[in-house]
Every structure is written in C-alpha cells, then in structure tokens.
Amino acid sequence: MFDYDSAAIAAILGTSLDAVFTIDAQGLIVDTNPAATRMFGWQREEFLGANISLIVPSPLKEKHDGFLRAFRPDRGVKHVLGSGQRLDGLRKDGSRFPVEVGISAFERDGQRYFTGFVRDMSERQHAEDRMRYLALHDAESGLLNYRGFAEQCAAAAGGERRMAVFRIEEFRRFSVAYGERWSIATVQEIAARLGTALAPHEIAGRVREDSFALWLGDDAGTRIETLAAVLREPYALDTTVFLLTVTFGLSAPGGDFASLLRTAQWACYRAGAAGRGGINAFAEGLQQSVVRELGIESRLREAVRDNLLTLVLQPKCRLADRRIVGAEALVRWSDPLLGAVPPAEFIPLAERLGLVGKITDWMLQRSLAEIAACPDPTISVAVNFSALDFYHPDLVVRLCDSLDKAAVPPDRLVVELTESAAVHDVPLVNGRLQALRALGVGISLDDFGTGHTALAYLRQFAVDSLKIDIAFVRDLPDSSPALGVTRTIVALARGLGLETIAEGVETEAQAATLRELGVDVGQGFLFGRPLPPAEFHRRVREQMESARL
C-alpha cells in the first residue's frame, strides 16, 4: 500500500463519499479508497496497477495520458484539471454517469504523483435536469411552456415556418364549473393528442392557460386542418362527454419567432363571433383593430379597479297597457381617451381578462341598490350573467350576499342567462336554476330562438320567462319566417306557463304585432332608451301618479 504521511489522512479518505485515486506519472493507479470500488464497481486489486483511463469513457480515454504528460509545474500550473470539472465516468459494467473531478499533483521521494477526487453527480444531475424540465415545461400538461417553446423554436429555426395558436373557448367557465381536475385532464388529453398527431419537425407548447401554440412547416395550411380535426373530437371526464369549441389562428408567413406568435395570437383572439371555432388566418388590417383592443384592455382594468363604469336601466313594459313592470340593468363605459366603448366590445374582453366576475358583482350591487330605491315596490330588475359567472360554484352565495346587503326581496331580481350558455351543460345549469328558484329569484332565458338545442331541453329548465331575440323582432311584421318563429315561441311558452319578453322593439307596428301574437312584455327604444337610474325612477313616479288620477 502506498505510504501516506499521516494515518489520519488515510482514515479520512477511507470514509470519504468521494472516490480518491492516487496515480503515478505514467497514469497507473497506486492507491484508491473504498468509495472508488462502490462508485465504479472495480475491486481495489483490479484498480492497482491499471491505467486511470480505466474509468474514463472515450474519447477522453485516449487523451488522458496526454494530459499528464502536458503537466508543467515549472509554468506554475498546480492542477491538471483543477477542481469541479464535470465529466463522464465509466463503470465496470460499461455504464456512464456524470462525475465532478479535481486532479492535483504532488512530489514524493523525487517522484511525481497525482491525486484525483471524483464525486458522483448522478443525483445532482438528475435534480438539475428536473429543474430545467420544470422551467421549460407546463406542469399540468407536460407540454413546453412559453419559455421552452421559444427555445425549441429558436433551435429549430430554418426553412419556411408558420405559427398556429388555438384556444379552447369553454376552458375558463368549465374550469370554474368542474374544477382543477377537469382542466388538468383536458390539457393532458390535448397534449396526448398532439403527441400522436404532430410530425417530427413540429413543436407544440402551452403559452397561456386556455391557449396553445404550434410551430409548423411550410405546409401549415394543410397540417392545421388535420390537427384541428384531432383536437375537436369529444372529450370525456368520468361519464360526462364534452364537445369543446377550438378556435385557431394562423400567423402571417415569414418573420421571427415573436412576430409569428404575435400574428397567430391576433388571428386567434380577434377572430370575432364569425371566426369562433374556425381556422382564422392573419390578414392585413387586423393590426389596427388589435392596437385598439390592447388599449381597451389596459384602460378596462383601470375602469373596473377605479369604479368608472356606469349603470343604466332600460324600461320593460307590459304590451297590453304600456305600463313599466321592470327594468334591465345595462353597463356603460365612457373612457376619457377612448370615448364611449360599446359593451359588445369590452364585455368579451372582460371575459378573457378574468374581469367579468368583478363587473357582474358591481352590476348586481348597483342594480339592487337602485331597485331598492325605486318608488314602485312591484318593479323588478334583470341582471345579465355571463356563462363564466353562472358556472361559478359560488353563484348562489354571491346572490344571497348581495340581496342581504341591499335588503331587497329575491322576487325583485331576475337573473338573465343566454340560451347558448344554458344548453352547454344541462345538468349543471339546471342545478343552478333550481337553487335560484328555491331562493325566490326570477330566471329569464335570454336571446331565445337563436340556439339549436334549446327546445329539446327547455322543459328541464327552471325558468320563468323567455326573451325573444332581437333578430326576430327586427323583421316584424313583414317577415313570414320571423312571424312563424315568434308565434312558435309564444305557443311554447304558454304551454310551459312562461312569460314572454320581446327585446329590440322600435316601432309601433312591431309592438302591435307582438301584442297580437300574445307576447307579454316589450323592451326597446319605443318604450324607452337605457336611462340613468334617477331618470328611470322619475318615469316610474309619473306612472304611479298617472294611475291615481
């Protein structure tokens, strides 16, 4: 055994977790410690006299002796490899593993020797690899996240490339309704489908909660059709099957990663109602509308935060005698920089930004406060709820809290829900409707007649009234199809014991036709534009005074 100067040093090396080798100037091993045997699998007797390259894989194995010969202490070089060098080690069974190596030189009895300290870095390397994986991948789906997607796209740059972005339209409201388990299962299913459908040169990433990006080749137009068909197949969780609306945006050709992603996102998110569920290619002129929309997004956050929205009340009148029997609460926003922004423009943005819940809560509180101040205690107020609001599990609690704070009886509040939102998940929606009805709140199904499946489910819904969509009212009395649809809706409502409300009434001819068809209530400019609450209360007082005469 090589004679150490100190038995204490030998004892320390014997218990070290690092492998320690002592080699001569020719690279032959003259001593090792027990950790070397545990780490590399060779017995001490096999090590002694063998070249240290025994534990070094190619191509470094063939160069190792050259490092020792190149060692020149006269030039002040004290270390062959210094310390902390990350290399690969070679076990007896031929497996490779990461090690950290430090080799230094010393002289004894006129002979040069080298001491190598080798640390097994397998666990640390695994931890580092795991940390890097987590830094570059989405934790829920396993797809690349934005950073990882950008890195891989940069590495794969070359040739004609286009970007596609797709989003799941129902993702937010279904995540609210069914919770994290549904969202994780859905994004994992999306990832699995992409994993089997993508070509080797194509890359996928999850770049936002509800949207994903695809890095495609010059055949993007054809490929996106194929991928769209795969992603639109039904999804299932337990025994429930979901049909999800997948909207695609295809970038402009050419440009760097940032511009490709940006134009794909613009095409996807600014597609509008006509492009919902379709494949939308970026078009010139879209950028101008995007700039306005981005300005609206920024200002809308401030408006919601600083309570800069305005409430107006539109009268709802009984067609038989034109008496005001209720009001619909509507939100308005006039911005100092943007001017008046229509609800049809900022409400969809509020849904995407996650602000619609705050707007609905504000609307509910203000509406109930105003109806509490209304001089006629029989008048009710209708408040529109988005699908995202309605699917929220705290809906009933929020309503109860608002009613208690305003000290308003539940029967003076009407919750309006669009037909399209109602038919998407009938069991869940009906459960909410039953809870609201038990509370005493009125329920109105808005935009009725525009959906394709409402008639099949209407018997199940616990609703009190149907609002005939403006699209049919607008064409009265001259359109035979509009007359036929309205007549059918009225007959259906009567058979179910429901009230009918026509919105968008603007002419006396429309009002007369609706009254003849048996519609109960009308709403529109003929009966009054949306009014400030004080003006609405004034009209109600005048109506009450007129009734006393």
Side-chain angles (χ1 to χ4, degrees):
M1 176 178 179
F2 187 81
D3 185 20
Y4 285 95
D5 289 339
S6 170
I9 295 177
I12 293 172
L13 295 177
T15 58
S16 172
L17 297 177
D18 294 338
V20 182
F21 296 89
T22 301
I23 60 177
D24 62 19
Q26 287 71 47
L28 302 180
I29 301 172
V30 297
D31 199 9
T32 66
N33 69 339
T37 294
R38 294 192 299 269
M39 191 176 297
F40 290 93
W42 300 89
Q43 295 301 311
R44 185 170 184 278
E45 292 73 18
E46 294 175 294
F47 273 133
L48 296 179
N51 194 287
I52 191 65
S53 62
L54 181 72
I55 64 169
V56 180
S58 296
L60 190 60
K61 177 190 291 288
E62 290 73 26
K63 301 176 181 179
H64 191 273
D65 288 349
F67 294 151
L68 300 180
R69 290 192 296 270
F71 175 64
R72 298 290 300 275
D74 56 312
R75 294 184 178 178
V77 179
K78 300 291 186 181
H79 302 282
V80 179
L81 286 178
S83 61
Q85 295 293 316
R86 188 72 65 89
L87 306 170
D88 276 352
L90 182 67
R91 296 188 181 95
K92 184 177 181 178
D93 63 7
S95 61
R96 298 167 65 139
F97 65 108
V99 296
E100 197 171 75
V101 179
I103 302 177
S104 59
F106 67 94
E107 291 191 5
R108 180 175 176 78
D109 299 332
Q111 297 295 317
R112 182 175 300 149
Y113 297 94
F114 300 90
T115 301
F117 292 83
V118 183
R119 177 166 295 174
D120 187 343
M121 301 298 291
S122 299
E123 290 189 11
R124 181 172 174 180
Q125 185 68 52
H126 177 75
E128 291 176 355
D129 291 345
R130 179 61 179 167
M131 289 176 64
R132 176 162 177 77
Y133 178 87
L134 293 175
L136 300 179
H137 290 77
D138 172 58
E140 293 183 344
S141 66
L143 292 170
L144 295 167
N145 59 19
Y146 179 88
R147 177 184 169 188
F149 183 69
E151 284 191 11
Q152 285 210 15
C153 290
E160 184 68 25
R161 290 282 192 169
R162 295 186 77 175
M163 192 90 72
V165 168
F166 67 90
R167 78 173 188 269
I168 308 301
E169 299 286 356
E170 299 85 2
F171 193 86
R172 282 184 179 271
R173 71 169 182 264
F174 279 14
S175 294
V176 168
Y178 300 105
E180 185 180 43
R181 182 166 171 262
W182 178 88
S183 62
I184 292 176
T186 300
V187 298
Q188 288 177 346
E189 175 64 17
I190 289 171
R193 295 185 188 186
L194 290 174
T196 58
L198 289 177
H201 66 280
E202 296 170 339
I203 303 170
R206 187 184 185 189
V207 293
R208 291 178 63 172
E209 180 188 29
D210 59 350
S211 64
F212 304 78
L214 303 171
W215 181 252
L216 305 173
D218 56 5
D219 58 346
T222 303
R223 288 292 296 144
I224 199 172
E225 293 279 358
T226 301
L227 295 171
V230 170
L231 293 165
R232 287 171 178 157
E233 289 294 319
Y235 294 76
L237 181 64
D238 300 329
T239 59
T240 305
V241 176
F242 301 88
L243 291 174
L244 301 181
T245 307
V246 187
T247 301
F248 287 82
L250 186 60
S251 72
D256 58 14
F257 171 85
S259 62
L260 288 172
L261 181 60
R262 182 169 59 251
T263 55
Q265 288 177 323
W266 288 352
C268 178
Y269 280 90
R270 277 74 185 180
R276 189 175 184 270
I279 298 173
N280 309 279
F282 177 82
E284 294 300 327
L286 183 60
Q287 184 171 357
Q288 184 176 357
S289 66
V290 169
V291 170
R292 171 171 170 80
E293 195 163 305
L294 291 175
I296 292 175
E297 288 184 6
S298 174
R299 302 290 293 175
L300 181 59
R301 292 183 187 275
E302 296 179 13
V304 173
R305 182 194 65 205
D306 298 336
N307 196 26
L308 300 178
L309 302 176
T310 303
L311 177 77
V312 292
L313 299 173
Q314 184 169 31
K316 296 161 69 174
C317 295
R318 192 162 49 215
L319 289 175
D321 56 10
R322 303 291 179 95
R323 182 178 178 83
I324 297 174
V325 292
E328 180 175 1
L330 302 169
V331 62
R332 295 291 182 263
W333 176 33
S334 182
D335 183 80
L337 298 180
L338 301 171
V341 184
E345 196 171 7
F346 72 81
I347 291 297
L349 287 180
E351 291 185 341
R352 291 212 299 267
L353 295 172
L355 297 174
V356 71
K358 293 181 180 179
I359 294 177
T360 302
D361 285 343
W362 176 87
M363 284 282 293
L364 186 60
Q365 293 165 11
R366 287 294 313 276
S367 302
L368 291 175
E370 292 299 340
I371 211 66
C374 182
D376 187 343
T378 66
I379 289 179
S380 61
V381 63
V383 178
N384 291 281
F385 279 70
S386 74
L388 192 61
D389 289 317
F390 201 81
Y391 278 51
H392 200 286
D394 292 338
L395 172 67
V396 177
V397 174
R398 289 162 59 194
L399 282 176
C400 288
D401 288 345
S402 298
L403 288 166
D404 288 344
K405 289 178 182 177
V408 172
D411 61 1
R412 297 192 67 188
L413 172 64
V414 176
V415 171
E416 288 196 358
L417 177 68
T418 62
E419 174 190 347
S420 58
V423 300
H424 218 107
D425 188 331
V426 174
L428 184 144
V429 168
N430 208 30
R432 297 277 195 275
L433 294 176
Q434 294 285 3
L436 294 177
R437 170 166 281 184
L439 187 63
V441 172
I443 309 291
S444 181
L445 202 57
D446 201 3
D447 301 335
F448 191 79
T450 58
H452 303 289
T453 57
L455 294 178
Y457 295 119
L458 187 58
R459 290 177 304 160
Q460 304 177 39
F461 290 145
V463 300
D464 302 295
S465 61
L466 302 180
K467 290 192 75 172
I468 302 170
D469 189 75
I470 189 174
F472 305 112
V473 176
R474 184 188 297 120
D475 295 335
L476 294 176
D478 301 321
S479 169
S480 295
L483 281 167
V485 170
T486 305
R487 186 177 290 110
T488 300
I489 294 174
V490 172
L492 176 66
R494 281 180 177 172
L496 297 173
L498 305 179
E499 181 184 56
T500 49
I501 305 168
E503 57 182 344
V505 183
E506 297 185 356
T507 68
E508 288 291 350
Q510 291 170 343
T513 301
L514 290 166
R515 186 174 61 251
E516 292 171 5
L517 291 173
V519 176
D520 300 301
V521 176
Q523 176 184 341
F525 288 177
L526 178 65
F527 307 113
R529 293 176 177 271
L531 303 170
E535 179 63 18
F536 178 83
H537 297 331
R538 185 189 64 79
R539 283 195 56 182
V540 171
R541 280 194 298 272
E542 290 177 351
Q543 175 177 278
M544 295 173 68
E545 292 170 1
S546 175
R548 296 191 194 102
L549 299 178

